Amino acid sequence: MTPLVDTDVPLIVLVDADSEVERRLVAEALPAADGGTLTVLPLRDGTLAGPLSAAAPDTVVTAVRVAWAPRRAGGGQRSRTRRGRLQAAAPSLLRRPPAALQAAVLRRDPGRARVVVAEPATVAELSGRWDGTGSLAGFVAHQARLALDRAERGVVGDRVKVPRHVTEAIRYSPEFRREVAALAERLERPEEEVLAEAVRDLDGLVAAMDPVAIELFTGLLRPVHSRAWNVQVDAARLDGLRELNRRHPLVFLPSHRSYVDPLVLADVLAAHDFPRNHVLGGDNLRFWPVGPLAKRAGLVFIRRSFGDDQVYKLAVREYFAFLLAKRFNLEWYMEGGRSRTGKLRPPRHGLLRFVADAVEGGRVEDAYVVPVSITYDQLREVSGMAAEQGGAAKRGEGLSWMASYIREQVRTPLGTVHVGFAEPLSLAAALCSGADPADPDARRLTLQKVAFQVAVGINSVTPATATALVTLALLGVRDRALTLAQVQRVLEPLLAYLTERRLPHSGAALRTALGVRRVLGALAQQGVVTVYEGGEEPVYAIERGQHLVAAFYRNSAIHHVVDRAIAELVLLRDPVDRWDEASRLRKLLEFEFFFPERDAYRERLATELAQLDPQWETADGRDVLCRAPLLLAHRVLRSFVDAQLVVAERLAARDPRTPVVEGDFLAECSGVGQQMLLQGRLHGPESLSRELFASALRLAANLDLVDPGREELARRRQEWAAQVRDVVGRVGVIDELDAAARRESVGVEP
């Protein structure tokens, strides 16, 4: 039998064992002391200082621990369902049995326990790496624990990688002490006071990642999503990501549509043998008793706003640097909250700067940012978010809120959740290609570009779900119901368009009448669609009060067809003005969609226009659109330009000297917008969204139309309102052309 350690050289073995069973296993694995060359000491005892100081420089120090291999979920039996396969693929995290049960566990399964040995180092090597902070014995013990963690992962796998003694490790690191000293000097505060505050902040941030807590936390919350959805994963990039993760930390940045997003992603990554992410969450979710358990299960509670708290920023920066240097993965949601409209919100890049600090400061060679799309066929929480868009107050998170949320989620199945991973982005490469990192404006621009690329990556792998496509068809008509055949006539060319351009979609089931009927039935079951069956055949319409819910589903897919919708509007302009109009529309919609740089935008738009007519630059645009098999502008853009119309007209009607108070102004837009809807000036209730109004107001601010001014401001507000009215008018023309084409083809307007 090969000896566990080599006793041909002077050797100190540090034993990390907490139970009689583990100490016995280690004793059986270690050779007997030979001529005094082997010294065995407990790792957690303070007896290391004496032997270490007396040891010769060439004495080798190593450590041993009992690693418990994870048991398989479900006793190794595999479920035949897709959801069951996903759960069964993830081993249990409760890998170390309690001390009282270890002997019984080994009788049933002797292979569960294995003694692992840390990578050895000589006393001279360890002394050379010690920076003088604390004691040499404390440094050696800390290094031994880290080396044992690495050795243990060879048995238990990467996904149970656990950070230990984090606050202690950061507090005594020379980098942290230098940063604290420099900050104390800048703030003109005592260094010990700043240090104490930073350590308190670290204690509030650091997640324990306790395997038992993870087991309890995931077991408690898994039914919230496992009973509601089947999970469909586009796993094409996961093998490459896992290999990349062996060399670099990953920062997962998913889309955010539901509270269960982190639970879904955690199960997907666990099933593909990734370590558990440190997930950043807002302090609003830190309520008892879930908060303490979640913190021990890897959830990092972080303030939603840091303000000018420099000490807290230092704690976050150092915690990020520590985790990234140890190759722990991070996860957060760049939108800053769940999407209220169904499409991506503008990304926030503030937290990225802390990752950039770690890369630029040499704390980690590189970190790869991974865009992730999480898309649901249906979501029950959409109705609550839609109510908020109509002015209802958001319900505060707490224990009663969580109980009712879980109760709602597990009621009935909701279809499929689609998870996709886009191409990862090297942050080091992005920072190197940017401008001078010492220039804060240039660095901010670089991180904004990275955030933009993340959003584009998410959109590129977000499928147009069957639900999204059906709601797009139903929302395209005003206050009317469609027959099954009429819905199909909209979907057939739309599916052909997506397939021809190789855009991701899950609409294969919509190619048959039965498939379309099933999706309509699922929407009707959730109260989004109403069905009237008292006539010659069933007809389908959006249920009263559910237009914002339907728009949420539709909006998750419209990024795939925005270029086509803009191309249709461009064609209604005179040929000499078409490129200028394309630029104006890009400017008008830049706060709603992610457009590439000017040249790339022109190239993409030219492709769409050429698909409509190769001679589009000189052709009569109206004739081109009349021949098109599919018209989309009225289905895709109408709610956004209608919301802009409300905001533009309210600004135009306002005294330019009167300040705009955002909350009051948005409430005014909601009230006047409802009146405009009743008067027929808006197409449908889906435009009456507080978030759409807020986005239009941000656009107006970017055009310098919000801050008080004089008569010149009033004139420019009127000009903007006229521009928006013109776009709304052309959207209406395309709607009329589409309706006329349908009447001509079937004799009945769809």
Side-chain angles (χ1 to χ4, degrees):
M1 177 178 174
T2 303
L4 189 65
V5 294
D6 183 4
T7 55
D8 291 339
V9 296
L11 183 67
I12 297 175
V13 177
L14 306 176
V15 178
D16 185 23
D18 291 330
S19 69
E20 287 300 324
V21 169
E22 290 179 347
R23 285 190 283 272
R24 174 177 57 79
L25 291 171
V26 169
E28 291 173 354
L30 289 174
D34 182 14
T37 60
L38 175 63
T39 302
V40 180
L41 300 170
L43 176 57
R44 300 182 186 278
D45 200 332
T47 58
L48 177 58
L52 196 62
S53 62
D58 63 345
T59 300
V60 173
V61 181
T62 189
V64 294
R65 174 189 292 168
V66 175
W68 294 86
R71 57 182 171 81
R72 303 298 296 185
Q77 296 181 357
R78 297 182 178 273
S79 169
R80 295 184 181 182
T81 68
R82 181 186 302 155
R83 182 165 58 230
R85 286 198 301 272
L86 183 62
Q87 293 177 18
S92 169
L93 288 167
L94 192 59
R95 64 186 194 281
R96 184 182 184 274
L101 301 179
Q102 289 175 359
V105 168
L106 287 180
R107 283 195 295 272
R108 290 196 305 270
D109 187 1
R112 283 280 308 277
R114 189 182 310 169
V115 179
V116 296
V117 184
E119 184 178 351
T122 66
V123 171
E125 291 170 339
L126 291 166
S127 300
R129 282 151 46 188
W130 178 43
D131 65 1
T133 303
S135 67
L136 176 61
F139 171 77
V140 170
H142 180 65
Q143 293 298 302
R145 293 188 188 100
L146 294 178
L148 280 173
D149 290 345
R150 289 192 292 270
E152 187 177 12
R153 288 199 292 273
V155 175
V156 303
D158 274 342
R159 74 172 287 255
V160 288
K161 183 177 175 182
V162 177
R164 303 174 191 270
H165 316 289
V166 176
T167 301
E168 176 188 81
I170 295 174
R171 176 176 184 170
Y172 291 107
S173 70
E175 297 90 352
F176 181 66
R177 298 304 293 261
R178 284 195 297 269
E179 292 289 334
V180 167
L183 180 59
E185 183 177 354
R186 290 198 304 274
L187 298 178
E188 298 180 351
R189 292 174 55 186
E191 183 177 334
E192 288 306 313
E193 181 182 293
V194 173
L195 174 63
E197 183 179 338
V199 170
R200 285 196 300 272
D201 288 340
L202 280 171
D203 284 335
L205 286 166
V206 169
M209 201 69 88
D210 176 11
V212 176
I214 293 172
E215 187 84 0
L216 292 173
F217 185 72
T218 56
L220 173 68
L221 295 181
R222 180 170 285 118
V224 178
H225 63 88
S226 65
R227 294 183 187 177
W229 298 279
N230 293 317
V231 180
Q232 187 174 91
V233 183
D234 180 2
R237 286 192 172 91
L238 285 179
D239 288 343
L241 279 177
R242 192 166 51 250
E243 183 59 33
L244 186 65
N245 199 191
R246 299 187 189 281
R247 305 186 305 277
H248 302 288
L250 304 178
V251 178
F252 291 89
L253 300 177
S255 57
H256 197 17
R257 293 182 172 90
S258 171
Y259 285 112
V260 303
D261 291 339
L263 307 177
V264 171
L265 182 57
D267 271 6
V268 168
L269 293 177
H272 290 84
D273 202 31
F274 282 81
R276 188 173 179 86
N277 295 343
H278 283 72
V279 183
L280 275 62
D283 271 342
N284 58 309
L285 297 175
R286 202 172 192 158
F287 55 86
W288 187 90
V290 177
L293 178 62
K295 190 171 188 292
R296 297 194 62 80
L299 185 60
V300 180
F301 290 109
I302 193 166
R303 296 179 193 170
R304 286 190 172 273
S305 175
F306 300 173
D308 197 35
D309 190 336
Q310 298 300 316
V311 178
Y312 190 77
K313 290 178 182 178
L314 169 63
V316 174
R317 182 167 61 248
E318 291 299 312
Y319 186 37
F320 274 34
F322 174 88
L323 292 174
L324 294 167
K326 303 301 181 186
R327 203 165 39 79
F328 289 104
N329 296 338
L330 298 176
E331 173 189 334
W332 72 82
Y333 294 78
M334 293 183 70
E335 296 169 83
R338 295 168 299 156
S339 169
R340 265 58 176 179
T341 63
K343 65 181 183 61
L344 286 182
R345 292 172 121 180
R348 301 179 180 182
H349 62 274
L351 290 176
L352 265 182
R353 71 180 184 269
F354 297 115
V355 182
D357 288 341
V359 174
E360 289 177 335
R363 306 286 286 278
V364 61
E365 179 185 351
D366 198 359
Y368 279 79
V369 175
V370 185
V372 184
S373 167
I374 306 176
T375 312
Y376 302 81
D377 281 350
Q378 290 193 55
L379 271 172
R380 285 202 179 88
E381 60 203 88
V382 175
S383 58
M385 291 190 286
E388 292 170 25
Q389 295 312 296
K394 179 178 181 291
R395 184 180 178 187
E397 291 84 357
L399 193 57
S400 63
W401 162 85
M402 186 173 186
S404 63
Y405 181 84
I406 292 174
R407 205 162 42 242
E408 283 293 307
Q409 291 298 108
V410 302
R411 199 171 58 200
T412 54
L414 291 171
T416 298
V417 51
H418 309 265
V419 183
F421 300 84
E423 187 72 27
L425 307 170
S426 164
L427 196 56
L431 293 169
C432 287
S433 64
D436 181 3
D439 180 351
D441 291 334
R443 190 173 188 265
R444 189 181 306 112
L445 180 60
T446 297
L447 295 179
Q448 286 175 347
K449 288 180 177 178
V450 172
F452 177 87
Q453 288 178 290
V454 170
V456 171
I458 291 172
N459 276 341
S460 71
V461 294
T462 298
T465 66
T467 303
L469 299 176
V470 168
T471 50
L472 185 145
L474 292 177
L475 286 168
V477 296
R478 178 174 178 169
D479 298 330
R480 295 194 21 251
L482 300 181
T483 66
L484 181 65
Q486 289 168 339
V487 174
Q488 283 186 279
R489 277 194 289 274
V490 176
L491 293 176
E492 286 169 1
L494 181 56
L495 287 170
Y497 174 89
L498 295 171
T499 302
E500 179 185 354
R501 283 156 179 75
R502 299 182 179 179
L503 297 170
H505 67 86
S506 59
L510 301 178
R511 298 189 186 282
T512 66
L514 178 61
V516 177
R517 190 181 296 113
R518 283 176 175 168
V519 175
L520 288 165
L523 286 166
Q525 185 179 15
Q526 298 303 320
V528 180
V529 166
T530 182
V531 187
Y532 177 73
E533 299 180 290
E536 296 178 335
E537 58 180 312
V539 291
Y540 304 86
I542 302 299
E543 179 67 73
R544 180 183 292 273
Q546 294 296 305
H547 286 74
L548 285 173
V549 176
F552 180 98
Y553 296 130
R554 176 202 64 187
N555 291 346
S556 69
I558 58 175
H559 58 276
H560 290 309
V561 291
V562 165
D563 290 345
R564 170 58 180 264
I566 291 175
E568 294 171 8
L569 291 177
V570 166
L571 283 172
L572 289 180
R573 280 294 193 190
D574 187 270
V576 299
D577 192 37
R578 284 175 182 167
W579 278 126
D580 288 340
E581 178 61 14
S583 297
R584 285 191 290 268
L585 289 169
R586 183 182 188 276
K587 187 74 172 176
L588 194 69
L589 297 168
E590 65 181 355
F591 280 74
E592 299 293 353
F593 303 102
F594 299 96
F595 294 112
E597 296 293 337
R598 186 174 62 89
D599 290 344
Y601 172 69
R602 284 176 64 105
E603 183 178 344
R604 281 186 2 187
L605 205 57
T607 300
E608 289 292 344
L609 289 162
Q611 289 287 335
L612 285 163
D613 191 317
Q615 306 301 319
W616 67 269
E617 292 181 277
T618 57
D620 181 284
R622 197 179 184 97
D623 288 346
V624 172
L625 295 176
C626 286
R627 296 194 305 270
L630 173 69
L631 293 177
L632 286 172
H634 57 302
R635 302 181 186 279
V636 172
L637 299 178
R638 182 168 243 149
S639 56
F640 303 100
V641 295
D642 273 1
Q644 287 183 354
L645 179 64
V646 177
V647 171
E649 293 204 344
R650 295 323 301 156
L651 284 175
R654 195 179 192 86
D655 185 328
R657 295 174 179 81
T658 304
V660 174
V661 179
E662 181 173 347
D664 294 342
F665 183 78
L666 295 180
E668 176 186 336
C669 289
S670 295
V672 175
Q674 181 66 40
Q675 176 187 327
M676 293 171 67
L677 177 65
L678 293 172
Q679 292 175 316
R681 296 184 60 203
L682 304 181
H683 176 265
E686 62 271 21
S687 61
L688 302 181
S689 162
R690 190 178 180 89
E691 186 138 327
L692 294 187
F693 292 146
S695 181
L697 186 60
R698 287 194 298 272
L699 171 62
N702 189 59
L703 298 172
D704 195 21
L705 297 173
V706 174
D707 290 338
R710 295 185 180 275
E711 302 311 318
E712 188 269 341
L713 173 62
R715 178 184 59 77
R716 289 192 294 110
R717 285 178 173 177
Q718 292 286 355
E719 290 174 353
W720 185 50
Q723 179 191 359
V724 176
R725 279 193 292 270
D726 174 69
V727 174
V728 170
R730 276 182 286 140
V731 170
V733 169
I734 291 175
D735 189 0
E736 293 169 1
L737 294 176
D738 187 48
R742 303 302 173 188
R743 283 195 300 269
E744 183 178 338
S745 64
V746 298
V748 178
E749 184 180 352

